[in-house]
Amino acid sequence: MQLTGYRIILASNSPRRKELLAGIDVEYEMRILPDVDESYPDSLPHEEVAEFLACKKAAAYLPALKEGELLITADTIVLLNGAILGKPEDQDEAARMLRALAGKRHRVITGVCFTTSVKQLSFSDTAYVTFGSLSDEEIGYYISHYDPLDKAGAYGVQEWIGYVAVEKIEGSYFNVMGLPIHKVYRALKQF
């Protein structure tokens, strides 16, 4: 579907974001820069981190952005009890994150940034996710059969753990997957 006159560039290596963008029948191409700095100021309110990082990623791509291109960058964080759970460094950290999430409600915030050579629009979306209890055996099973290291909070809602642990989602399921696609669709119509 032709939503915009721009050539859309998705700056993400996430298979989930690719799937979600393709799901609204938008043609796009991938562009990946290695090692984009994902640090943020400690003083930044946690609710603003995902959007800040999406815009910071866009800034890294800006020098190569051509006229007529629309860049989409995104970042997802998980917030539990005032702490940000990013992508785990290893399987032990993934297990600790999943133990912390088990039996609790947390927030998933995805920030999105649209950038052209003359305009930028950014926003974020929040969903609340409630996990049921998880045994160490279930956590171990998930970690050994799936890849929690490339996901904020060490889980993919669309994977096995989402089927067995997620009791409730308040907000967009697709936001929890990594892209609030309903808001992306509406934003594309503005360009």
Side-chain angles (χ1 to χ4, degrees), residues 11-151:
S12 175
N13 217 5
S14 164
R16 295 158 301 281
R17 290 191 180 117
K18 291 185 237 181
E19 176 188 341
L20 291 170
L21 198 54
I24 58 170
D25 294 336
V26 169
E27 289 186 26
Y28 66 93
E29 68 180 64
M30 303 287 299
R31 192 172 294 163
I32 308 298
L33 283 178
D35 302 323
V36 174
D37 177 27
E38 294 190 29
S39 62
Y40 54 89
D42 290 337
S43 61
L44 190 65
H46 290 154
E47 293 77 10
E48 297 174 19
V49 168
E51 187 173 341
F52 173 88
L53 290 175
C55 293
K56 189 173 185 180
K57 289 176 184 179
Y61 285 82
L62 199 52
L65 195 63
K66 298 179 181 89
E67 192 173 321
E69 292 182 333
L70 171 59
L71 179 74
I72 302 175
T73 52
D75 195 83
T76 300
I77 63 162
V78 170
L79 266 176
L80 175 68
N81 300 328
I84 293 176
L85 305 183
K87 295 175 184 173
E89 294 289 324
D90 55 33
Q91 290 187 345
D92 289 339
E93 186 178 15
R96 283 193 299 276
M97 285 183 183
L98 292 171
R99 274 189 213 99
L101 292 168
K104 295 187 182 78
R105 181 177 186 247
H106 61 275
R107 283 186 284 174
V108 178
I109 303 172
T110 299
V112 182
C113 185
F114 289 79
T115 306
T116 69
S117 57
V118 295
K119 180 179 177 182
Q120 189 169 69
L121 168 72
S122 66
F123 58 86
S124 64
D125 193 58
T126 301
Y128 293 85
V129 181
T130 303
F131 263 35
S133 61
L134 285 167
S135 69
D136 283 343
E137 182 182 6
E138 290 165 328
I139 290 169
Y141 176 84
Y142 178 68
I143 289 171
S144 66
H145 287 82
Y146 295 87
D147 184 14
L149 303 185
D150 73 337
K151 298 167 186 77

